Amino acid sequence: MERDVARIRKILLKLIDVSDEALDDDLDLIDEGLVDSLLALQILNALEREFDVLIPSEDVGNYVSVNTIATGIERLKARQSGSPVADGADDEDGANWRVSS
């Protein structure tokens, strides 16, 4: 998952006006006002292309920090490859896994 975090950070740093040092892996990008709805869609599209996954629209609110994105991508890759979903999913879709601060 560390490699995924690096790839996620690279995408976010390219699209968001934030420095690498300021981009804490647990920083809630929406609550901090760094991402609006349009930028969120751009980020999700970039993540889908980079990781070759389809992010369900109902899961969009779960993708708020580097770590929640990495968790979501890991679960989507497992589910879409037919592997068991990673431990900790609250339902069979892997939704409801947002980590609140």
Side-chain angles (χ1 to χ4, degrees):
M1 188 158 93
E2 286 182 35
R3 184 167 179 263
D4 287 352
V5 167
R7 292 165 63 192
I8 291 164
R9 289 181 64 83
K10 183 177 178 181
I11 289 168
L12 294 176
L13 290 169
K14 185 176 180 181
L15 295 173
I16 299 174
D17 185 25
V18 66
S19 70
D20 185 44
E21 297 80 25
L23 184 59
D24 182 85
D25 289 348
D26 292 315
L27 179 70
D28 188 314
L29 303 169
I30 295 170
D31 285 352
E32 292 297 321
L34 296 170
V35 174
D36 60 19
S37 58
L38 179 59
L39 185 52
L41 290 175
Q42 292 173 323
I43 292 168
L44 291 177
N45 285 333
L47 292 168
E48 287 179 334
R49 284 191 309 273
E50 177 70 22
F51 292 98
D52 194 28
V53 295
L54 180 60
I55 299 170
S57 59
E58 61 269 12
D59 287 355
V60 170
N62 294 323
Y63 289 74
V64 297
S65 70
V66 172
N67 284 332
T68 59
I69 292 169
T71 298
I73 295 295
E74 182 180 338
R75 290 182 178 162
L76 285 171
K77 290 190 312 188
R79 186 170 58 230
Q80 292 174 7
S81 71
S83 300
V85 176
D87 290 340
D90 290 334
D91 62 27
E92 63 188 27
D93 293 330
N96 301 320
W97 40 263
R98 179 177 176 175
V99 177
S100 57
S101 49

